[in-house]
Structure formats: structure tokens, C-alpha cells
Amino acid sequence: MFSQAREIAAGDVVIVWFTRDSLKAITITPGEELNGRFGAYRHADLIGKPFGSKIGSRNGKGFIYVLRPTPELWTLALPHRTQILYVADIAFVVSWLGIRPGSVVIEAG
């Protein structure tokens, strides 16, 4: 799944970088195709290419970058949804974390 090899192989998970705001995680499967607004890309064409390669589309109208998954790229590639926390939920989380007066809490989001 997560390969340490330099080249992409069948079964590897890769992050496809379409634009700065558009990333997608895919598993390389021969015979499948990735379609985007910039063109179509056969998985078989990605096999053997080094991670970080710039791959041109078959129609010649666009390109993608095929990247090795990292924690930062996973964060960008996964869908983000808003979560509403209610007082009862917050109280439960605080009790399990053992937060007491004087504790330092860092909120991100």
C-alpha cells in the first residue's frame, strides 16, 4: 500500500495533484483510468514513473503531479466537513482528556 520504492507500482497509494486546491488519493490499479477536468490518465501509464513526476494527459490539454503520500498531503486530500460540537459533547471530551483548571489546551480548526 505505502511503498518506499522510488517508482510507482500497481497497488501503491498515490496523491494526485490537479491544482493547489484539488488533490485526490488513488490506488494504482492496472486497467483503471482517472478522469479529471484536465484530461484522462491511465493507471497503467503511471506504473514505473518516479513519485513526483509530472504526467501529461492523453488529450494533451493538461497535466497532473503524482506524489508519494505524506501526512501533510493526506490532510489536504481528504474531504473536510464541518462538525458542530454541543455542550454535552464538549463536556465528555474534556472529562476524557483530563483537562483541569490551569491546563494548556490548543485548538486548531
Side-chain angles (χ1 to χ4, degrees):
M1 185 163 113
F2 294 111
S3 173
Q4 295 301 318
R6 294 179 50 96
E7 290 85 24
I8 298 167
D12 284 349
V13 174
V14 299
I15 303 291
V16 177
W17 183 289
F18 293 105
T19 67
R20 184 174 56 91
D21 299 325
S22 178
L23 289 87
K24 183 175 184 175
I26 63 168
T27 301
I28 300 298
T29 308
E32 289 195 15
E33 192 172 88
L34 172 67
N35 293 301
R37 71 181 220 210
F38 301 110
Y41 308 88
R42 288 188 184 129
H43 288 212
D45 294 342
L46 304 178
I47 295 174
K49 303 282 187 193
F51 284 98
S53 295
K54 181 179 177 180
I55 310 292
S57 67
R58 291 193 351 242
N59 65 9
K61 294 185 179 183
F63 61 89
I64 58 172
Y65 289 99
V66 186
L67 307 172
R68 183 184 312 277
T70 64
E72 296 83 6
L73 289 175
W74 270 116
T75 301
L76 296 172
L78 294 176
H80 296 83
R81 288 177 268 155
T82 303
Q83 177 66 46
I84 298 171
L85 294 176
Y86 295 101
V87 174
D89 300 325
I90 295 168
F92 180 76
V93 170
V94 168
S95 69
W96 272 96
L97 291 175
I99 297 173
R100 304 279 183 251
S103 296
V104 176
V105 178
I106 299 173
E107 186 274 335

